[in-house]
Amino acid sequence: MRATLESPPDHVCSAFGGRTGDAEPMPGTTAWRYADLVLKPVEDKSRTLWTARALEAIDEPGLRVAKPVRSSDGRWVVGGWSANRFVSGTAEHRYDEVVHAAVKLHRATAGLPRPDFLGRRTDLEALADKLAWGETDLPLDENKGGRWFEVLAGSRRPVKLPDQVVHGELLAGVLFDGDAAPGIVDFVPYYRPGEWGAAIVAVDALAWGGATIDLLDRWAHLPEWPQLLLRAVLFRLAANALDPRSTRAAHDGLRAAARDVSAVL
């Protein structure tokens, strides 16, 4: 996503209840903060509207959810901008807590309907998701993850858990602020078993966060955990192999995660 230096227009800020002149750009994002209000430019209106309704519906004890804010006339999007309440904190290497947050979040999202726009996705991550679950097939670059994908794919077994709305990017998307409950500020939706979201957290922590295989063992009580870990690492391997911007460091981390996952299958 390309960062922008342009703040929301005055009429957008006013529509959501912000005070013009109080804007602060949020580093590393395209969002602007107005006290306890965060305004973000909208790139995909369908996803933005879905996310607003989903986050509005989530009421899970032990999570701080960045609730969406309607404009003064009831809209979620005004002039190409959306708004939500500010949630304090930063992403931290508190991996067990992020896995636990994933379990809680997906307990709360189990009843959400499948987003219509998921079926129209053609992006890299959507293709990697289908590859991981054996719903499509195509050759992958062996030097960027394809070799490990080929080795591990043969270990796939049917997963009998029901599909539901699941967040696929939680490791960097859960915020911590001291002893406060974990914060959820966005939603990257897929439609897979809820525990798959926790498995992605674990695989990402192994690949790029310095976590050890003990993390997998501590959550082995989750249903169908080995197979969901397998789908998670296949998902990341496929995405890395498909991404023209992928790096050697990312591939090396995924190889380490793949070895750890293969040990628990």
Side-chain angles (χ1 to χ4, degrees), residues 22-105:
D22 290 346
E24 298 179 12
M26 300 184 72
T29 77
T30 58
W32 290 74
R33 180 182 173 189
Y34 295 76
D36 71 338
L37 187 71
V38 174
L39 270 62
K40 295 183 286 188
V42 172
E43 292 192 346
D44 184 332
K45 188 173 182 180
S46 295
R47 178 179 162 182
T48 297
L49 294 175
W50 180 88
T51 302
R53 297 183 185 109
L55 293 179
E56 184 184 43
I58 294 172
D59 185 16
E60 179 67 20
L63 294 178
R64 295 178 298 139
V65 177
K67 292 294 186 179
V69 176
R70 291 183 184 271
S71 68
S72 55
D73 61 2
R75 288 179 288 167
W76 292 121
V77 176
V78 175
W81 292 79
S82 64
N84 59 263
R85 293 300 173 196
F86 175 73
V87 170
S88 62
T90 57
E92 298 183 15
H93 292 182
R94 294 160 65 168
Y95 301 131
D96 286 281
E97 292 175 74
V98 181
V99 173
H100 193 201
V103 172
K104 287 184 175 182
L105 176 64

Side-chain angles (χ1 to χ4, degrees), residues 96-143:
D96 286 281
E97 292 175 74
V98 181
V99 173
H100 193 201
V103 172
K104 287 184 175 182
L105 176 64
H106 297 129
R107 182 171 59 202
T109 62
L112 293 177
R114 185 180 189 275
D116 291 338
F117 64 84
L118 287 185
R120 300 191 296 271
R121 286 183 58 184
T122 59
D123 55 274
L124 180 154
E125 286 79 13
L127 180 55
D129 172 41
K130 292 179 179 178
L131 285 164
W133 287 87
E135 296 173 355
T136 191
D137 188 26
L138 78 163
L140 295 172
D141 188 334
E142 290 190 0
N143 297 318

Side-chain angles (χ1 to χ4, degrees), residues 172-191:
V174 174
L175 304 184
F176 293 96
D177 188 0
D179 294 331
I184 307 293
V185 296
D186 198 1
F187 208 112
V188 182
Y190 294 83
Y191 203 68

Side-chain angles (χ1 to χ4, degrees), residues 135-221:
E135 296 173 355
T136 191
D137 188 26
L138 78 163
L140 295 172
D141 188 334
E142 290 190 0
N143 297 318
K144 297 173 65 177
R147 178 57 182 158
W148 267 103
F149 187 100
E150 181 181 354
V151 169
L152 291 175
S155 297
R156 284 182 296 208
R157 300 293 181 267
V159 173
K160 298 179 181 179
L161 298 172
D163 288 339
Q164 64 162 86
V165 171
V166 58
H167 193 322
E169 296 288 346
L170 275 170
L171 186 62
V174 174
L175 304 184
F176 293 96
D177 188 0
D179 294 331
I184 307 293
V185 296
D186 198 1
F187 208 112
V188 182
Y190 294 83
Y191 203 68
R192 300 297 181 189
E195 291 80 4
W196 185 61
I200 293 175
V201 171
V203 165
D204 288 353
L206 291 173
W208 305 305
T212 66
I213 196 170
D214 293 343
L215 176 66
L216 306 187
D217 296 336
R218 287 194 294 274
W219 292 93
H221 60 281

